[in-house]
Amino acid sequence: MKNALLGFGTMNIFDEEECTRVLKEAYEEGYRLFDCAQIYGNEEVVGNALKKAGIPREEIFLTTKVWFTNFEGEEVRKSLLESMKKLKTDYLDLTFIHWPYGNTYHAYRELEKMYEEGLIKNIGISNYQESQYLDLIHFNKVVPIVNQIKITLRCQRKHMNEVMKERGTILQGYQVFGKEETLEIYKDERVKEMALKYHKTTRQIAMKYLVQKGISVITRPMQRQWMKDNLNLFDFELNEEEMNYLASFDLLEYNTKPSQDYQKTLSMLEK
């Protein structure tokens, strides 16, 4: 259960020695889902680290994401084959369309071809809103198994989760601890009471809420104790009252703000 819902992110790990240590420790603690992306710029580092750490390929679920500048023509296939070479694998367990920009339909259909060939085992999407998701599945054959998007207790994507569950797509959250907007939650007296009751941290309580909602979570704990903490969520259950209280932290303003808002879109397209 935990291996399917809790993944290890590799963003911003560029030192091969450090990456080897971190991935080895993560694997030993029980992580099996390792999340990569072309735009992270470290697929080769990750591939070398997995090999040096002696992690058996067949025992992990390895993912990467095609960056939107590779959505045209042969670039989808070409870039993914290059990603596989860097990651030292001849197949990917899951490949994402990274951001709904550019020629997403061509890119998705190229992924469908590679899926049929067995080069990728599953297709996912990242940062798609409900309307974009519904449009995509209406005009393509393969329903994505995952939509990876920022999720926090301030932005819980409740409606999105319902829409995707109905159609067989799992919601997967990144940056789940949030930033300034969530800091007060971890100091909340009721949340601290829950943490004390279950002998957990307040951040474990936040993660448990999401997992109990059926949301997969990607984190990047760099210290071994944090790795343990982020996996240690399956020896307790939050009750209905506690779940409802945590649900109340959701803010409409975060949920209605598109992930590809104006300023973010400008900055990304200018890269």
Side-chain angles (χ1 to χ4, degrees):
M1 180 70 169
K2 67 182 181 182
N3 294 341
L5 285 173
L6 303 176
F8 194 93
T10 62
M11 185 177 180
N12 292 334
I13 310 177
F14 299 107
D15 181 80
E16 195 168 296
E17 185 177 339
E18 180 183 42
C19 191
T20 301
R21 173 192 66 81
V22 168
L23 297 188
K24 186 175 188 294
E25 290 179 355
Y27 176 78
E28 290 172 348
E29 291 302 329
Y31 288 91
R32 293 297 180 266
L33 193 169
F34 291 94
D35 178 77
C36 308
Q38 293 175 351
I39 194 62
Y40 296 170
N42 65 349
E43 288 176 316
E44 191 166 14
V45 170
V46 172
N48 290 338
L50 289 170
K51 184 177 181 179
K52 287 183 178 179
I55 297 173
R57 175 66 184 91
E58 66 276 9
E59 292 185 11
I60 62 173
F61 193 89
L62 189 59
T63 82
T64 198
K65 307 176 190 72
V66 184
W67 190 237
F68 60 79
T69 55
N70 293 325
F71 284 178
E72 296 288 349
E74 295 295 318
E75 286 303 308
V76 182
R77 177 180 293 266
K78 181 180 175 182
S79 69
L80 262 182
L81 291 176
E82 182 63 24
S83 290
M84 291 181 200
K85 181 180 177 181
K86 290 177 179 177
L87 291 166
K88 293 181 167 44
T89 183
D90 56 4
Y91 70 95
L92 290 162
D93 295 290
L94 170 61
T95 300
F96 292 88
I97 293 285
H98 204 172
W99 290 93
Y101 298 141
N103 200 347
T104 55
Y105 287 97
H106 171 74
Y108 199 87
R109 286 165 188 164
E110 287 297 300
L111 292 189
E112 287 183 323
K113 292 176 186 176
M114 296 180 77
Y115 169 79
E116 291 171 357
E117 295 167 21
L119 290 171
I120 60 178
K121 305 301 181 183
N122 297 280
I123 303 175
I125 52 177
S126 181
N127 301 301
Y128 273 65
Q129 300 299 319
E130 294 99 314
S131 60
Q132 295 167 321
Y133 165 77
L134 292 172
D135 181 51
L136 183 77
I137 65 173
H138 183 77
F139 291 103
N140 290 283
K141 295 183 291 183
V142 180
V143 175
I145 67 161
V146 172
N147 180 24
Q148 187 185 100
I149 195 165
K150 181 178 178 179
I151 300 176
T152 71
L153 288 187
R154 289 296 191 197
C155 182
Q156 298 179 19
R157 314 280 185 183
K158 293 173 184 174
H159 183 256
M160 182 182 288
N161 199 20
E162 293 174 5
V163 168
M164 295 186 179
K165 269 185 180 179
E166 290 174 0
R167 292 158 180 83
T169 299
I170 297 168
L171 205 56
Q172 186 175 78
Y174 64 79
Q175 295 182 11
V176 294
F177 296 131
K179 296 182 180 178
E180 295 81 8
E181 78 276 9
T182 53
L183 289 179
E184 289 303 314
I185 295 175
Y186 305 124
K187 301 174 185 176
D188 181 87
E189 289 303 320
R190 183 75 182 95
V191 177
K192 288 197 288 187
E193 286 175 12
M194 293 181 208
L196 185 64
K197 172 184 174 181
Y198 294 112
H199 307 287
K200 304 295 178 184
T201 67
T202 52
R203 282 172 170 76
Q204 283 174 296
I205 296 298
M207 284 185 68
K208 180 62 178 184
Y209 171 81
L210 298 177
V211 169
Q212 209 163 308
K213 285 287 186 181
I215 296 171
S216 171
V217 173
I218 300 293
T219 59
R220 196 207 57 184
M222 297 296 285
Q223 301 301 321
R224 194 151 193 159
Q225 186 56 53
W226 300 343
M227 295 176 192
K228 293 176 186 285
D229 289 346
N230 289 1
L231 285 179
N232 189 18
L233 303 176
F234 297 94
D235 58 350
F236 74 106
E237 290 286 317
L238 297 168
N239 62 39
E240 184 177 0
E241 180 185 353
E242 291 163 342
M243 290 291 285
N244 288 338
Y245 184 76
L246 293 168
S248 71
F249 286 110
D250 197 27
L251 292 179
L252 183 63
E253 64 182 280
Y254 286 102
N255 285 277
T256 55
K257 182 180 180 182
S259 58
Q260 63 278 26
D261 62 78
Y262 176 70
Q263 289 299 332
K264 180 178 282 187
T265 297
L266 280 182
S267 65
M268 293 180 73
L269 294 178
E270 288 171 356
K271 285 183 180 179

